[in-house]
Amino acid sequence: MSKAIPQLIDGVWRDSHSRTLIEVTDPATQQVLALAPNATAEEIEAAVASAKAAFLTWREVPVSDRARLMLRYQHLLKEHHDELAELLAQETGKTLADAKGDVWRGIEVVEQAGNIASLMMGETMENVARDIDTASWIHPLGVCVGITPFNFPAMIPLWMFPLAIAAGNSFILKPSEQDPLTPNRLAQLFIEAGAPKGVLQVLHGGREVVDSLLTHPDTRAISFVGSVPVGQHVYRTGTAHMKRVQAFAGAKNHLVVMPDAHPQQVLSNLVGASCGAAGQRCMAISVAVFVGESKHWIAELQTQMAALKPGYWNDGQAAFGPLISRQAKQRVLRLIAQGKAEGAECLLDGSQCTVDGYPDGNWVGPTLFRGVTPSMALYREEIFGPVLLCVEVDSLEDAIALVNASPYGNGTSIFTRSGGAARHYQHAVEVGQVGINVPVPVPLPFFSFTGWKGSFYGDLHAYGKQGVRFFTETKTVTSRWFDDDAVVTSNLTITLK
Ligand code: NAD
């Protein structure tokens, strides 16, 4: 295989002149599925120039026509849901059910983009002063950029470009180099839905491509999702170059178990929220905080987690798939070993996990630790694997103090049958997305995805009303109309001749 996948530049799928190619592998077999290019400087320049030109005509297209493009796109995505999910499963290793969920959560944002007219309405007021009216108009920004991670190759690109383009912008997508096949297919379907030339460009590659887009004088806004160090780099570089930036970064999410909760509800939710998608979700639960007597449920948790079997994406019995890459697996194994060395008790160790027929897969089995303390690397670093840490505390106040001391603030959850405890937790916890008896509280697209603290750099969050505001700016017009027969005096009183 020597030919790399194409890039979408100026409305045409073009082969890259890149000399460095990146292997896209099946994480269960290491089979090379495709090669991705590293966009060259000329290709980046061509994409930005085309996006800049496309913006000038696209922003003049009536909002209802822009919305209809999204409705056609949503229809096509639904028609191709299964095909997209299979492609996504192959390159990520996710189970088919999980891959379908990844595509579906993206389709929901496209549905929201079809509603762009009501989301872009401004405000008006008559007589802000005598005979003077003020109206605000919502305008698109220009060339917007999306830089996306490997773990949701359908949902996260679809968080970004449909809303930005529906709002009248043009968009350059730079997907993860680890699974670029699904984003390319999403873009093909967008063109098929009738997207005009140049409103969407797709460039592939890694750091150099990202940095060129962050510093290019003609890009206006950067939407990034990925790890903490890269998120900080993107935020610092983008804002230093006067861009609007939103950077969604890593996480360490806690689920607080109150002793009055229903044990079976707690345990089945904990198992799914920690090991689903092999723990490679930014909203996965990685720390279970057992309050008081609920610690006695840890033994049963261990039994339920031990029953989970990873497997190939088309194995209907598999609970989850392999990790995305050998490097990702090495990181997780390093943290498991470090946890043991630092004195945490490993109740279940998935380091030696194997799957019949797939000897080369990046497998890590369900892993459970107890006796974890906040000073351990296992607790401090994002693991991004099927690893759950148990911490035991005496009271709800201790649980809140622990969660609030974490530098991250993406998601958290509490399981309880007490309305008072839930209300107190919801109010006191310093985390942007809270679940009450809901383990993975990802908001639907009419709300926004609102991570806090070290899990987010920026002001306006993804999708929902905040997503539209991120990709637009407000013009405020104050107007006065003179009666042809009137004379206006300096103190704004009008006298008839
Ligand atoms: P990553 O940071 O390695 O890569 C993200 C993107 O940045 C990719 O497109 C990649 O090509 C690019 N990139 C990588 N290194 C770069 C560099 N040095 N300079 C510039 N660009 C660079 O992240 P990942 O491993 O693909 O994704 C997993 C991470 O994403 C996890 O930390 C996870 O928590 C996070 N994530 C966060 C959210 C959220 O909403 N907060 C959602 C999904 C994933």
Side-chain angles (χ1 to χ4, degrees), residues 228-406:
V228 166
V230 182
Q232 290 178 343
H233 165 71
V234 166
Y235 187 73
R236 289 199 185 106
T237 312
T239 52
H241 286 80
M242 314 307 278
K243 316 290 178 200
R244 188 179 288 192
V245 182
Q246 55 175 196
F248 298 85
K252 197 87 187 174
N253 306 309
H254 299 69
L255 186 149
V256 174
V257 184
M258 295 299 286
D260 68 351
H262 191 296
Q264 248 344 299
Q265 288 166 1
V266 169
L267 298 180
S268 59
N269 278 287
L270 253 181
V271 169
S274 57
C275 293
Q280 297 176 115
R281 291 179 179 144
C282 68
M283 288 289 279
I285 294 297
S286 51
V287 185
V289 186
F290 289 90
V291 178
E293 295 305 302
S294 68
K295 65 184 173 205
H296 298 303
W297 306 341
I298 294 176
E300 172 59 18
L301 175 63
Q302 178 181 346
T303 307
Q304 292 194 15
M305 279 180 73
L308 294 186
K309 298 285 172 246
Y312 197 55
W313 65 266
N314 62 6
D315 171 357
Q317 303 304 311
F320 57 87
L323 297 186
I324 188 70
S325 65
R326 285 188 162 142
Q327 293 88 320
K329 177 173 172 174
Q330 287 316 314
R331 255 196 67 255
V332 174
L333 296 190
R334 170 182 62 80
L335 284 163
I336 292 175
Q338 216 168 331
K340 290 181 195 165
E342 285 180 321
E345 187 187 350
C346 189
L347 300 175
L348 201 57
D349 183 354
S351 309
Q352 303 301 324
C353 174
T354 54
V355 172
D356 285 348
Y358 299 95
D360 297 324
N362 310 320
W363 309 110
V364 175
T367 302
L368 183 66
F369 279 94
R370 79 185 298 174
V372 175
T373 64
S375 62
M376 294 177 180
L378 201 58
Y379 184 87
R380 284 184 282 110
E381 288 186 38
E382 184 181 34
I383 302 175
F384 233 51
V387 182
L388 182 61
L389 317 180
C390 300
V391 178
E392 292 151 47
V393 296
D394 292 333
S395 66
L396 178 57
E397 290 310 325
D398 291 345
I400 293 171
L402 178 82
V403 177
N404 286 353
S406 167

Side-chain angles (χ1 to χ4, degrees), residues 184-258:
N184 260 23
R185 186 72 186 119
L186 292 176
Q188 278 172 358
L189 292 172
F190 193 53
I191 302 295
E192 214 174 295
K197 180 174 108 164
V199 298
L200 177 66
Q201 324 267 336
V202 183
L203 295 174
H204 294 293
R207 178 179 183 139
E208 298 75 21
V209 183
V210 172
D211 285 351
S212 303
L213 294 168
L214 289 178
T215 54
H216 196 290
D218 290 333
T219 57
R220 284 285 317 268
I222 312 289
S223 183
F224 166 88
V225 180
S227 60
V228 166
V230 182
Q232 290 178 343
H233 165 71
V234 166
Y235 187 73
R236 289 199 185 106
T237 312
T239 52
H241 286 80
M242 314 307 278
K243 316 290 178 200
R244 188 179 288 192
V245 182
Q246 55 175 196
F248 298 85
K252 197 87 187 174
N253 306 309
H254 299 69
L255 186 149
V256 174
V257 184
M258 295 299 286

